[in-house]
Amino acid sequence: MAWQVRALDDAAWMGLALDQARQAFDADEVPVGCVIVADGQVLAAARNESVATGDPTAHAESLALRRALRDHRDRVAGSTLYVTLEPCLMCAGAIVLARVGRVVFGCDDPKAGAVRSLYTTLSDDRLNHRCKVVPGVRAAEASDLLVRFFEALRSRRSNGTAGRVTER
């Protein structure tokens, strides 16, 4: 990856995750983006691809973890994962198993969040690994993308119109 930021700046790194989320929006996917960072370098970046792949596990976090583990296996443990939406239970489990050190997320997910909304998977003392969690980084931007996406989707469905959701 070509991205580098000199100092650890959660808002800047989240900006890269938001870029991924915007790409997901443009591809008519739920707009969630993720980047995994270690030692000031992006190990992997991904966006949701569940619609394009027909794979319900193709969440941004899951795809980013797979890519980071494939290319930088020795650097994932202790890394920081930035994601625009609170991880679901599946992704939280993968984060624990990969031994990610920190998870920084944008907005809460009251319907499926497994970090603090419904479950506290990443801080559960019964598990063999726990992550530091930083919620709410650039939450308004992440939330706005999701709100616009689902409003457009509902509008499309109620009008009976086919076609993609477009950001513009």
Side-chain angles (χ1 to χ4, degrees):
M1 293 271 131
W3 298 312
Q4 284 193 324
V5 177
R6 290 203 172 115
L8 180 62
D9 180 345
D10 289 341
W13 292 120
M14 185 61 73
L16 298 179
L18 284 162
D19 290 343
Q20 292 293 313
R22 288 183 198 97
Q23 290 177 32
F25 188 111
D26 291 342
D28 211 23
E29 298 274 0
V30 175
V32 177
C34 178
V35 294
I36 300 174
V37 177
D39 302 319
Q41 181 179 21
V42 174
L43 303 182
R47 61 175 177 81
N48 275 2
E49 295 183 17
S50 295
V51 174
T53 62
D55 179 358
T57 69
H59 292 190
E61 305 95 301
S62 178
L63 295 172
L65 281 167
R66 289 176 196 159
R67 292 170 188 162
L69 288 164
R70 179 192 66 215
D71 298 336
H72 306 281
R73 179 172 296 278
D74 59 324
R75 298 178 66 198
V76 174
S79 65
T80 299
L81 184 145
Y82 294 88
V83 63
T84 57
L85 179 66
E86 178 183 4
C88 70
L89 194 52
M90 174 190 70
C91 293
I95 289 165
V96 168
L97 292 173
R99 298 186 176 277
V100 170
R102 289 175 75 228
V103 172
V104 179
F105 69 89
C107 58
D108 290 336
D109 184 351
K111 293 185 177 183
V115 176
R116 73 178 192 169
S117 293
L118 298 179
Y119 307 100
T120 56
T121 307
L122 300 183
S123 59
D124 192 320
D125 288 335
R126 296 169 292 179
L127 298 176
N128 64 345
H129 178 74
R130 283 163 293 291
C131 305
K132 293 179 182 175
V133 174
V134 180
V137 176
R138 297 180 72 169
E141 292 169 82
S143 178
D144 180 61
L145 266 177
L146 289 160
V147 167
R148 286 189 293 126
F149 177 84
F150 286 110
E151 282 175 351
L153 185 62
R154 282 190 294 277
S155 174
R156 218 176 35 180
R157 287 183 178 161
S158 70
N159 293 334
T161 58
R164 300 168 67 92
V165 173
T166 57
E167 188 168 6
R168 291 157 190 64

